[in-house]
Amino acid sequence: MPDGGIGAPTKRREDTRFLTGRGKYTDDFTPQNTSYCAFARSQVANGKINSVDMSAAAEMPGVLATFTGEDFVEVGGNPAGWAIVSRDGEPMKEPKRPVLAHGKVRHVGDAYAAVVAETLEQALDAVEAIEADIEELDAVIDMASAVAGSGSLVHDEIETNTCFDWGWIEDNRAATDEAIKAAPHVTTLELVNNRLVPNALEPRASIGEYDPGTGDYKLTTTSQNPHLSRLLIAAFVLGIPENKLTVLAPDVGGGFGSKIYHYSEEALVLAAAKKLGRPVKWTATRTESFLADAHGRDHVTKIELATEKDGTFIAFRTETMANVGAYLSNFATVTPTFLHGTLMAGNYTVPNVYVNVKAVFTNTAPVDAYRGAGRPEATYSLERVIDKCARELGMDPVEIRRKNFIKKDQYPYASAAGLEYDSGDYDALMDGLEKTADLAGFEARRAESAKNGKLRGLGINAYIEACGIAPSNLVGILGARVGLYDAATVRVNPTGNISVMVGAHSHGQGHETAFPQIVADMLGVDALSVDIVHGDTSKIPFGMGTYGSRSLAVCGSAVFRATEKIIVKATAIAAHMLEDKPENIEFNDGVFSIKGTNKNVGFGDVALKAYIPHDYPIEELEPGLEETAFYDPANFTYPSGAYASEVEVDPETGKVTICSMVALDDFGVVVNPMIVTGQVQGGLAQGIGQALLENSVYDKNGQLLSGSLMDYAMPRADDLPNLVVDHSHATRCTHNPIGSKGCGEAGAIGSPPTIVNAVVDALVRGGHDVDHIDMPVSPSRVWAAMNK
Amino acid sequence: MPKITMNINGRETSTEVENRTLLSTALRENLYLTGTHIGCDTSQCGACVVHVNGKAVKSCSVFAAELDGATVDTIEGQANADGSLNVIQQAFQDHHGLQCGFCTPGMVMSAAELLKVNPKPSEAEIRDYLEGNICRCTGYQGIVNAIMAASGQDVPSIAAE
Amino acid sequence: MYDFDLVIPTSVDEASTAMKADGAQALGGGQTLLPTMKQRLAAPETLVKLSGLSELVGVNAASGTLSIGGATTHGQVADEASAYPALAALAGNIGDPAVRNRGTIGGSIANNDPAACYPAGVLGSGATVVTNTREISADDYFVDLFETALEEGEIVTGVNFPIPDAANYQKFDQPASRFALVGVFVAKFGDTVRVAVTGASNGGVFRWSEAEAALNANFSADALEGLAVDAGDLISDLHGSAEYRAHLVGVLTRRAVQACS
Ligand SMILES: Cc1cc2nc3c(=O)[nH]c(=O)nc-3n(C[C@H](O)[C@H](O)[C@H](O)COP(=O)(O)OP(=O)(O)OC[C@H]3O[C@@H](n4cnc5c(N)ncnc54)[C@H](O)[C@@H]3O)c2cc1C
Ligand code: FES
Ligand code: FES
């Protein structure tokens, strides 16, 4: 491995600007003559808009323009990116999602009007002057009653609150039902996967610009995928020609899914910029983030696990209601379906799996993919019901999992939920976990805790996830409305340094450091001579962006392929320079040489030759050294892991303290272990946050009770233990050129059941008759469980 | 509009503000010191922490007009005179104490105050001290490690074995 | 945020005069007021800055009394109130370091948030709130949540705490805000015990008189056996039911008593 190549824990180059305050996030840009936008947002969860009178607002000082839903009736809506077909063959229901609410407001925070003014305060003053007559209607909040259809409708025109009723795999339904009926043991668990607010620390922000001289638009925005946003705005929402719209996602302060989607505020600042011929800026307050960012999770699930008496799994059957909120956000329909149902066989050789998901409209903020997206829900259901089953059968939780693990000689393995896992070794991960987490020493630690009056518990679980989304042909059949390849252009500059333009976007993942490691490794050049360009549609090839732990597996593979092409062409140029045939040339450590001789030419000289093609075989070879590759993956990748946590419960207050968290993951080939460790730790914090602290709660009228950081508990440094991470038990991904699987979401997927398993274990060992506590396992809930 | 003069990162700096102008707004919008970030509106996230007269303060929660004559230090003034990263900044890079970088300025400024009042904090003291600084990316492990390292204490190696 | 006039007085007299203006309001550390103003939930016409007024800043212990100036920050109290360790500890556990560097005792007790810490310390100590016009005993000062005996324009210039023989504050954090989900302050003066509870009640901070009576008779955790506050008047929210809060009051009171002995 060259210094700084694949496998090196290279320090991040992007850190220098962030550590000195020189990062450039969207709100840090204020183009000359910027005006400011503020939104009027619904205070009620469901309301009929009788009138919105903007006349007083328009007269307020500094006001430049006002907008209501009326202004956008002629333009398109923000679409769902994935069409789901219900069990009965009916297409899903897709009500229009307008730029500004029109006719009805459908959740607290739903924007129904906007004002642009010279200053932000003037815009806010003007919003207060809007006279809106909005008649409050009964809100639909609870999913069960929404589905029952007894009360109001979120969208009158679709005549139901059920978006779809999906079965996976429908053909397996009868067999699964039969298997469960005949099974000697069935464990049933009803659980809630709590609703979360992603809360990337940088609130969303967007700046629209329009140049009347050229007709060009520019949107600077907090996006994980600028090309996707451009496509949606161009093709669906505003109809701006794609070639007339540049979308720039500069430094972005975290996304976790919430910045994948196109949001109305982006369309509005563009429309306003066009109208005014001035830049228009909007920056969310945290309050707006809570009200109007896409939330995550929010499933209510019943899962059954049928087993033999010895713990051999026979079937998993799941019934889930998934909240999609008031409108379909871009990935809202795929998250609870294909990113969830297909994982419901877990790491196990279970023959029967059936999943039913009803997606439900409610008068709440839209719900969409949040770190893990569907896989945390799957993992949580599986690993909780398995724990409960083990307890019922009197089996050790490690033993029951091992008994059912897919063994390492069974790959490729076709799971009962329709995926083909390419590689893995779950027993090796569990072996490693037993050691690293010192499971054998638990009993002694428990006794020590007991001496201090604390109940100690141990939680363990496995997980598997699917990332590196995804083969376009496959997802096309399943309803995706986009392809899911990614793209990279490797441009070797005449002086030999290299610019790599990528479709993926880095908002914490360290692409600027890790991607050059791949190129440096392949070309034998110094990684610092390679720079990554991302986030600007005017500079990068059309790629699908960063989410689903796909950047390295998909976009990194595109970088790999493009670099391969560079090597092929450079070899041809080198062959000409060395006066031999390309097949006789070998390339090692940045040097092209004729095999078996010491005749050679360096990479830099070849690059120069490519751009100064004197004495050059111009008939056979184009000048230049720049290659683009689009990489469409052959399969998902399947990271897996084994996690353990020990907790202490204060029996008097119910407070849970996490004593340890150990995560062993198999990510295949790791390019930068330092970055991967950080990704896992960050994911763990979010998973622990879900399990212990975070909860987005609406009251029955649709008011968001957890609408600020005062009531929505974010994990802080002192909520978390040392996070022990080990990714040394790796099996290579077999179908992408790097061999990497993806690590961004693993921690958030694997850890919620670990914590809840541990808390339940602590209570059971403490003599309490408890088999489940819903997340977050807050002190009050644990206390209630102990005192029911 | 009142005109105020502050010593910002070692330089006398004057600017005009409204009474309602927050220090964070004055820094970001009047003086283009956009390293100080705004992550919330309830004074909780700490992305905006700067030092006022040597003490860590949430710049989103103090009016600029209160600070005529004050000394204000921001992330932009933390590097060594030659532009290299100072000990804390360098430790954040060495121990992967940041990902998206949005919380980072506030974290570094809080860490700087911590090490001033407690030059060799324990891990628990570090975690406790960071109560007012939220990071959504790192799980805090790299941050805690960085602060341990910046105070000359051992930290476990962060790369996987 | 709406704009306002800002007065930066150089003495309490000047401040008192400025506070007579219509719509005038004191500005302490701003750690409560600024977030409220950002949400446009408060719109003072004039703010009178008290923090930094040297007359209002300081921590002094003399003849069994700890006096804290009304504009003294939580951080300064945590550092300097060594004569009253339980109070120093309380102050040192309010919010986070940056909040403690700005927030003041006067602002905290003028605001009287039902989940705030100082009200428990002030009421539990039987302290005297000193204003620019009078002295108010703690028992008369806290009226209801966000409501005190302060008149329009009145400034908290200081708080005088009699220093007890033993005292302890137990705070159980609300997981999100880290204010007190429940906080209990116990102080023992000779044979008299005061128990003040914050975070729990719809009426703000209160004295748990049954516990006080029991502890007066026998200052030990056992004396609290079987005692419980009535959950009927307590706060129920997404962080805990009234029953849970009532239970916590008992647990924390016991722990505070244990920590005293
Ligand atoms: C993140 C965060 C966490 C916090 N955690 C806690 C906690 O755990 N426990 C806790 O108790 N508090 C907590 N607080 C609140 C904090 O203690 C505030 O500092 C305090 O409540 C208000 O004090 P202030 O000086 O900042 O007052 P300001 O915000 O300036 O004023 C608050 C109110 O008091 C009035 N006022 C201010 N000073 C005076 C005076 N001298 N005389 C008369 N009226 C006055 C103002 O007019 C205003 O109405 C927290 C705050 C934040 C932002
Ligand atoms: S922006 Fe200041 S604390 Fe969040
Ligand atoms: S690095 Fe992203 S919030 Fe801390």
Side-chain angles (χ1 to χ4, degrees), chain C residues 95-113:
Chain C
D96 56 66
V99 167
R100 294 195 287 274
N101 283 339
R102 294 289 303 173
T104 66
I105 187 170
S108 177
I109 65 168
N111 191 51
N112 193 20
D113 187 303

Side-chain angles (χ1 to χ4, degrees), chain A residues 201, chain B residues 98-104 134-138 143:
Chain A
L201 201 58
Chain B
L98 64 153
Q99 291 182 19
C100 79
F102 201 78
C103 70
T104 309
I134 293 175
C135 175
R136 190 53 150 168
C137 296
T138 62
I143 294 169

